Each structure stands twice: as C-alpha cells, then as structure tokens.
Amino acid sequence: MAFLGRPSPPPSRGPAAALSGHGRAVNAVAFGPDGRLLASGSSDWSVLLWDVTDQANPTRSVALVHERPGWLFRDGWRQGGVHAVSFSPDGRFIACAGDRAVTVWDISDPARPSRGAPVTHHRHVWRSGPVRTVMFSPDGRLLTTGSDGDKNTGVLWDVSEPTHPVRIAVVRPQARDWPKALTSGGAPAVHSVGFSQDGRLLATASGDLGVVSGTYGSWRQGAVMVWDVTDPAHPVRTDAGTLPLASLGDTGQMYAVAFSPDGRSLASGCENAIVTLWDVTDPTHLTAAIHLTGHRKAVRGLAFSPDGRLLAGCGVDTTVRLWETY
C-alpha cells in the first residue's frame, strides 16, 4: 500500500461553479443518487437543493428551512444549525440532522418538498445532544443517526414510512474505565456511521475509553465498533477496535468511518490524524491491518472510490489525502 504524497505543489484549478445562498457556515454537502441534485446544509438552519445537471450553471431548486429552537445548549451557546444530510438510495427523501432532531423531507418533487415529523433521540428534548451524522442503509429501509451528549448516542430508525421514522434500536458505545467526571454526560458521542454495501454491518466511530493518570491529566482513546444489524431491532456488537496509546499517543475521538465497497475493510479516522484500515473479513475479530499517515491534524471524513482502489481522507489540516488500498 502506498501513500500518494505531493513532492511538489500541484497546479491550481479554479472551481467549475460557485454556489452561494447560505447566510452562515456550510457544514455538509451530499449528491443525490443520480448526481443531478446537490444538497448543502448550513448553520443558518437551511438545506439548499441545487440542480447541477448543467455543472457550469447550477441553479437553486428549493430551500428546506428548519425551525430554530428557542432553548440553549447546556453550556449556554445557541444551537448550530444543520450538521449532516443524507439522500435515500432512490433519491425520493433527504434526511437532515440538526442539533436536537433529524427531519426527513419528501423531495419526490424537488419544487414542492414536504416535511415529515422531526425525530429526536430522547423523549426529553433538552437532554438530546447535537445530531452529528445521519445515513440511510443501502436498501433505504433503515436510517442511522449519531449524536453527542445523550445516552442514546446511536439510533436505528425504521423508515419504511420515511416521513414518519420509528426508533427500533439503540447502538450505544460503552464508556470503559472512565471516572465519573468524564461520564456524567452519558455515553460517548457517535461522530460517524457507515453501512457495509450489503447492509448487514454497521460501523460507528466514537470516543470510547478515558484514562486518567494522577495530576498529569487525561488521555482519551477513540473506538470504532462494528454491529451486526441483520435483525435491525436487535443489533449485536460483533467487535470493537481501539488504537494502542503506547505507540500512537492520545488518539482522542474517532471522527470518521467508512466500509470498502467489497466489505472486507473498514477505514477509521481519529483526532490524532491517524487513518487505520481494519480487516473485517471476520467481523467478530476486528484487526488493524495498517495505519495510513499524511494528515497533520484530526481526520474528519473518509470515502472509498467506487472500485475500492483509493481511499480519500479530509481533515482539520485543510487537506485531502489519497492512499492506494492494494
């Protein structure tokens, strides 16, 4: 496996188009399954749908406006808008993750979208944390969400009726060996979720283990967990993978996770800039196959090419890195 580095600065290329319309930071983008529709989610509490059939002249189709909550975070800061978006495989629906809820919109007719009832992770909305990630399963029958600051940090929803999702199970990473001061907020946050292509396995990326050493502070160890969701109502955790503190230092939160197209590998990215490829041929024995280096700061996103030969990573260091996976 080779890292595709940059021995010399590459030539610059300007954008094919610039899309403007949001009033605050844009947090998420996603293409529809046919590539003709692009969604962008923002801190201004809107999701804009763009028709990009003509890439040189994209046009805004419609704005999906979400309600701004009147309450505050527990730390006093106001909510931060839409964090993640995901299209259903057939392109008829789009799920939008906000700070306390997920809203599924019917966009069968993009010019006349209809909003379903918002769904929250906890019956007491003030106890629910920001929803950081959302993803439809490959067959479109399940929706998985991940949140922060909530005991129900990972939730599986039945979206057979997409505008009225029904919570069917919780996938909750368990804190291990944490002092009470670190666990008072509930289970570790789920920052990213990913389905295998066959929809049988679900991966979650989170913070998992806290280690405290006297007056020298705390070290955090992230975890990637694999769940068998063959029976979605009864997910079974098959194994969990953590990176050794001794060799890699403070791994911090796991922020990104993605299955390879063939389902044999799982990529994870964490706060200490390490990307790890895990062998998931046997989901009950998760094995770290190789660590990929190149990023200098936290890795926030990962994606495999359709043929699985390349892995792309993006992070806080403002770069996108590519690795060969064979």
Side-chain angles (χ1 to χ4, degrees):
M1 183 174 298
F3 166 63
L4 303 184
R6 296 190 301 170
S8 60
S12 299
R13 177 182 296 175
L19 311 180
S20 59
H22 286 294
R24 297 185 65 186
V26 180
N27 302 319
V29 290
F31 279 101
D34 62 5
R36 294 185 299 175
L37 203 62
L38 176 71
S40 58
S42 168
S43 294
D44 64 8
W45 285 97
S46 74
V47 173
L48 301 183
L49 299 182
W50 308 86
D51 185 337
V52 292
T53 306
D54 180 356
Q55 297 179 16
N57 297 286
T59 57
R60 193 172 83 178
S61 172
V62 71
L64 309 178
V65 180
H66 295 76
E67 295 180 2
R68 299 169 183 250
W71 24 257
L72 306 176
F73 268 133
R74 279 169 292 184
D75 62 7
W77 292 95
R78 290 195 176 274
Q79 311 309 292
V82 177
H83 297 292
V85 293
S86 176
F87 283 92
S88 63
D90 61 8
R92 293 182 55 203
F93 301 93
I94 183 170
C96 307
D99 277 298
R100 290 295 189 270
V102 175
T103 302
V104 179
W105 296 77
D106 185 336
I107 55 170
S108 302
D109 179 359
R112 294 180 176 84
S114 61
R115 173 168 40 191
V119 292
T120 60
H121 280 210
H122 199 282
R123 64 180 180 177
H124 301 298
V125 70
W126 63 270
R127 292 181 60 181
S128 299
V131 183
R132 300 296 188 187
T133 181
V134 61
M135 178 176 287
F136 281 95
S137 63
D139 63 7
R141 300 186 343 189
L142 296 175
L143 184 72
T144 302
T145 58
S147 73
D148 190 3
D150 183 2
K151 291 183 178 179
N152 298 328
T153 50
V155 179
L156 279 170
W157 308 86
D158 181 342
V159 286
S160 300
E161 183 62 40
T163 54
H164 294 86
V166 177
R167 187 172 72 179
I168 57 174
V170 173
V171 287
R172 182 185 299 118
Q174 296 295 324
R176 297 177 297 164
D177 301 331
W178 281 34
K180 291 183 178 180
L182 294 180
T183 57
S184 58
V190 172
H191 297 289
S192 178
V193 295
F195 281 99
S196 59
Q197 289 292 329
D198 61 9
R200 185 173 65 90
L201 299 177
L202 171 70
T204 58
S206 65
D208 182 56
L209 179 65
V211 180
V212 173
S213 177
T215 59
Y216 294 98
S218 64
W219 288 261
R220 296 164 298 162
Q221 188 175 28
V224 57
M225 297 185 178
V226 176
W227 309 78
D228 186 330
V229 291
T230 305
D231 179 0
H234 301 92
V236 177
R237 193 177 78 182
T238 61
D239 200 11
T242 58
L243 303 180
L245 290 169
S247 62
L248 293 175
D250 183 357
T251 62
Q253 302 285 325
M254 285 283 192
Y255 283 129
V257 68
F259 277 100
S260 62
D262 63 9
R264 299 173 63 87
S265 298
L266 177 68
S268 67
C270 67
E271 193 171 358
N272 77 339
I274 295 294
V275 172
T276 303
L277 279 185
W278 305 84
D279 183 345
V280 288
T281 306
D282 178 0
T284 63
H285 293 87
L286 201 60
T287 304
I290 191 169
H291 299 300
L292 308 177
T293 60
H295 280 292
R296 297 184 299 276
K297 294 183 179 180
V299 177
R300 292 301 182 97
L302 293 167
F304 281 92
S305 61
D307 62 7
R309 299 182 64 183
L310 286 177
L311 174 65
C314 62
V316 177
D317 61 8
T318 73
T319 67
V320 175
R321 304 279 175 165
L322 293 176
W323 296 271
E324 294 175 337
T325 60
Y326 62 91

